[in-house]
Amino acid sequence: MAIHPPTGDSPITITAVLESAPAPVAALLASANASETEAFLATFAEGGVVDDWGREFAGTDAIRRWSDREFIGKHVNLQIDAIQQQGDLTVVTAQVGGDGFNGPSHFSFLIDGDLVSRMTIRA
């Protein structure tokens, strides 16, 4: 499954993401864009991992510290360009904005039940 912007280079709205992405991925993206740290953390399974360009942060405390320094704490804004399902992976292509890294990224998600077990961020 691939979801692309409806016209030209317009990003996918968060509403379209909520309707088309697996629920845990949609919740994670919505909470990040809303700067809701507790809701963001609640999307991860116990022992969940964020792999940010090869640096791994495992568990709620480590993910919170990373997010406070580099993600939600930097007022991240994700404009979704595409969503693809590749086997067990949900891959989200987004333009990242905010007070930290800015530019294109791919976010890959593994789901465990109704929670995210791993979020991997790459170029």
Side-chain angles (χ1 to χ4, degrees):
M1 170 182 75
I3 299 158
H4 299 282
T7 57
D9 294 315
S10 313
I12 296 172
T13 65
I14 200 67
T15 302
V17 172
L18 291 172
E19 293 172 354
S20 60
V25 172
L28 184 147
L29 296 170
S31 62
N33 275 345
S35 297
E36 295 175 351
T37 299
E38 295 307 317
F40 171 74
L41 294 171
T43 65
F44 284 93
E46 186 174 332
V49 174
V50 169
D51 175 344
D52 183 10
W53 298 69
R55 298 175 304 138
E56 290 195 0
F57 305 91
T60 302
D61 292 339
I63 294 171
R64 178 190 304 274
R65 287 190 300 273
W66 165 80
S67 179
D68 287 350
R69 282 190 321 269
E70 302 181 42
F71 201 58
I72 292 176
K74 291 291 185 182
H75 308 105
V76 72
N77 180 284
L78 304 172
Q79 292 188 2
I80 310 304
D81 293 325
I83 302 169
Q84 297 179 335
Q85 197 64 42
Q86 300 174 353
D88 292 344
L89 280 179
T90 301
V91 179
V92 175
T93 304
Q95 293 295 320
V96 179
D99 298 333
F101 172 83
N102 284 261
S105 284
H106 293 86
F107 296 80
S108 300
F109 298 93
L110 284 174
I111 307 295
D112 181 10
D114 60 351
L115 296 171
V116 173
S117 61
R118 184 175 192 88
M119 177 174 83
T120 302
I121 306 168
R122 296 288 190 272

